Structures are given as C-alpha cells and as structure tokens.
Amino acid sequence: MKKVSITIKEIARQLNISKSTVSRALRDSSEISEETKNKVIELAEKLNYYPNPIAISLLKNRTQTIGVIVPDIANRFYSSAIGGVEDIAYSRGYHTMIYQSHELLERERSASRHIASRRVDGLIVAISSQSENIDHFVSLQEQGIPVVFFDRVSDAMQTHKVRVDDYKGAFEATEHLIKRGCKRIAHIAGPKPVSITRFRLEGYKDALRKYDIDFKEEWVLHSEITQAGGTERTYQLMALRERPDAIFGASDRITMGIHWALRQLGYRMPDDVAVVGFCDLAMSSLLDPPVSSVTQPSFEMGQQATSLLLDLIESKNTPAEYETRVLPSNLVINKSSMRITR
C-alpha cells in the first residue's frame, strides 16, 4: 500500500482554514488564537503530520544540528561529556553529530570541513593534542558557525570556554602526596601543546614550591595520553638512580599505565610509590589498589558548553564579551596514596 504523506494543505482542508494559518499555528505564532492552535495541533498529531525538516531549516536558516569534536569517545571523560551535550541539545530541540579527532590535527580539520559543508549550526570541541594551530576553527567562526571550547581550550580564539580548574586539582593532588610524607614526587604530564598540560604542570610546581621541595626536570616526563605512554614513562622514572617515591599522572589512561608498570616492576603502592592521577572515579576504583583521583564534572562541562553554544546560535547579536567558566575538580583519596607518615 502506498504511504500517504500528510501535508499542511490536507490539515487546512479538513479544518477549512488557510495553509498560512496552519503554518503559523504550528510555529506558535501570536497572530493565531489559542483555540485555532489547539485544533491544528490536535489534528496534526492525529494524522501523524511531521514538518519537512529541510523546509524548516531554510525558513529558520538553521538545521537544528550541532557538531561535537572530541579526541576519543572511548575515553570515559569524553563519553560522559557527550552525554551532557546531548542532554541539553535534546531539551532545546537540537540533534548532535559526533566526530573523533584521535588526537590528529588532520582528522580535526577534516571534521571541521564536513561541519561547514553540512551547514551545522555550531560546534563544541575539545582540541586535539596536535592542534597548536586552530585556524580551521577560526574559519568556521568567520563563516558564522559559532564554536565553543571545553576541557582543552585555546587562548588564540575569542569564544566561550568551559574547563575544569586543572591548576587547583594538580596543586591539591601534589600537596596531598607531600602531606603523606612523599619527597620525590614525579609527574607524568600530557603533550606540551595541550592547555590542560600547562595548567596541571603549574599546579604541581607551585605545590612543590610551597613546601620548599626542589623541582627536578628529570622527574617530569611528557607522554601521549595513552596507557602505553604512562607505562613507558613509569619505566623510565623507576630506572633513575634517584627514583621517585610518588607519581602524579595527568590523565586516567596515563595513570592506568603508571599503575600497571609499578605492579609489573614489583613496587607496592603506596608503600614504595604513592600514586594520584586525574582519573574517572569508576575506573580508578576497579584497580588494585584503587587509585586516588582528581575527578572532573565531565557531564556538567558538556551541559554548560552546550547551553553557551545554543545561546550563541539563537542570539542575533555577538556577546559583548565571551565567558570562560572554570568548574571545580575534586580530590578523592584512595589506597594508592595512603602512606603511613613517619
């Protein structure tokens, strides 16, 4: 049986009103009485009428779709953030298109080109570790496609940004290790170009400075944000003549690598080496011993970034100034760092 497509014309015929009246009623126009609106909506629902999305996008000059670029959706932090994005987007009538950069600049540029070609209304992005140059995002903004950064941000572009207080989280993690009696605290940091790497490294250094502990270059190693990277750097640190008695990891995957390497090498946590990392709490609790974690409100970051983006999309004016929202982190103490102080 041939499927019958219900149109505005058919609704108008059955209600004996004009097509323009039906159209305005469906758009909730103030020109149409509530009684007429209710009749139109009731019949539209009864007939399973759905407006043509292409026609609506042409009328509004919007597609009701936003893009999201993250390094890796398998990372629990980013999958949670995407959940926050979709929570707000859906509540405000938008759909999401999700892209992964896999930490590659060219993949990020390719996603940006696709976003421009699909007339996506706006973009939320956590920058890849290779993206020192963000001209591709500047280009989108110049084309009228607003961009909001979250987690990994850039000062090279004026726009809204949502991030966690990486400095404070790193400071508190390092301070905790110092208060547990650690004196030789190493840090496995992320790639140098990434904003979160800089903030976390500064927090680590300032905590050492506060307690008059010497900063040693050989105890800071940069790594790709992978478990393999964390493992390799831990092997390097534990091969030093003056080995660290604590390691602070800059991400959950790096911290997993630290944990695995120490167990492989036969070191006890926290007795031989204490460990703290920026970690997903659910993941860290599965390790043995469970890892002390700096947790981040990833779902809320996604929500706030989306609210800021949709406000930009729906506003007719450029904001007088852009916001940078800094959300609090939380240090959760676990067995991996609970050394007995002497």
Side-chain angles (χ1 to χ4, degrees):
M1 181 181 291
K2 185 178 179 181
K3 185 178 179 180
V4 178
S5 178
I6 302 300
T7 64
I8 285 178
K9 182 178 180 180
E10 176 59 22
I11 295 173
R13 185 189 68 78
Q14 291 196 30
L15 292 176
N16 196 29
I17 57 178
S18 69
K19 290 187 292 183
S20 63
T21 299
V22 173
S23 179
R24 290 198 297 272
L26 290 170
R27 296 202 307 272
D28 197 26
S29 171
S30 58
E31 300 172 356
I32 307 301
S33 69
E34 289 300 317
E35 181 183 359
T36 300
K37 285 181 191 177
N38 290 336
K39 286 181 179 179
V40 169
I41 291 169
E42 184 179 334
L43 182 58
E45 289 178 349
K46 180 180 177 181
L47 297 175
N48 291 321
Y49 167 77
Y50 297 99
N52 185 323
I54 297 174
I56 289 176
S57 68
L58 290 172
L59 182 66
K60 293 184 175 180
N61 197 28
R62 290 205 298 266
T63 60
Q64 301 299 118
T65 303
I66 60 173
V68 184
I69 303 177
V70 296
D72 182 6
I73 60 173
N75 184 313
R76 290 177 64 96
F77 172 85
Y78 290 117
S79 60
S80 174
I82 288 169
V85 170
E86 292 192 318
D87 178 62
I88 297 299
Y90 181 79
S91 72
R92 291 177 60 171
Y94 287 78
H95 298 282
T96 56
M97 294 174 62
I98 300 166
Y99 303 80
Q100 299 181 83
S101 68
H102 294 292
E103 303 289 7
L104 299 172
L105 175 58
E106 189 45 52
R107 290 284 292 264
E108 194 174 80
R109 285 174 171 163
S110 175
S112 298
R113 290 192 293 269
H114 191 260
I115 283 165
S117 69
R118 289 300 180 96
R119 299 179 66 248
V120 170
D121 296 330
L123 173 65
I124 297 168
V125 58
I127 301 171
S128 83
S129 59
Q130 292 186 351
S131 300
E132 292 183 79
N133 184 317
I134 60 163
D135 287 349
H136 44 298
F137 297 131
V138 174
S139 175
L140 287 177
Q141 194 177 55
E142 290 173 346
Q143 294 174 58
I145 300 174
V147 177
V148 170
F149 293 129
F150 83 101
D151 183 42
R152 305 180 188 180
V153 304
S154 172
D155 293 330
M157 180 172 158
Q158 293 298 307
T159 188
H160 292 315
K161 298 158 193 172
V162 182
R163 62 178 183 83
V164 76
D165 194 340
D166 295 289
Y167 172 90
K168 181 172 177 286
F171 185 97
E172 290 180 347
T174 308
E175 183 177 53
H176 162 68
L177 291 169
I178 294 168
K179 289 182 175 180
R180 300 311 301 178
C182 302
K183 301 293 184 184
R184 304 183 304 279
I185 303 170
H187 177 39
I188 301 181
K192 290 182 180 180
V194 180
S195 61
I196 58 176
T197 298
R198 297 192 301 274
F199 295 133
R200 293 173 188 180
L201 182 56
E202 288 170 10
Y204 160 80
K205 286 181 176 180
D206 283 354
L208 295 180
R209 190 176 297 116
K210 177 182 176 181
Y211 290 90
D212 297 319
I213 295 176
D214 291 337
F215 168 75
K216 295 191 176 184
E217 292 283 355
E218 63 266 31
W219 284 348
V220 175
L221 298 178
H222 290 272
S223 165
E224 293 300 314
I225 303 175
T226 62
Q227 181 173 338
T231 299
E232 180 184 348
R233 295 294 184 257
T234 302
Y235 284 149
Q236 290 177 243
L237 287 169
M238 301 315 291
L240 294 172
R241 177 172 296 180
E242 190 178 13
R243 293 192 296 267
D245 59 5
I247 305 176
F248 165 45
S251 80
D252 50 2
R253 292 187 175 184
I254 287 173
T255 304
M256 286 178 68
I258 295 168
H259 192 283
W260 189 88
L262 290 174
R263 291 199 58 166
Q264 290 296 306
L265 291 168
Y267 289 101
R268 298 168 301 162
M269 293 171 273
D271 299 336
D272 301 324
V273 184
V275 176
V276 179
F278 270 79
C279 275
D280 172 83
L281 192 57
M283 181 278 294
S284 64
S285 65
L286 296 175
L287 300 175
D288 182 22
V291 175
S292 294
S293 308
V294 180
T295 63
Q296 305 167 84
S298 51
F299 189 85
E300 186 182 351
M301 288 176 73
Q303 288 181 311
Q304 294 207 21
T306 308
S307 294
L308 288 168
L309 178 68
L310 298 185
D311 288 347
L312 285 176
I313 291 169
E314 295 173 359
S315 174
K316 295 180 180 179
N317 303 311
T318 302
E321 60 181 45
Y322 290 104
E323 285 187 61
T324 295
R325 295 185 182 177
V326 181
L327 307 185
S329 60
N330 183 41
L331 177 61
V332 179
I333 307 302
N334 231 317
K335 291 182 180 179
S336 70
S337 65
M338 287 299 291
R339 297 180 69 173
I340 299 173
T341 55
R342 297 176 177 85

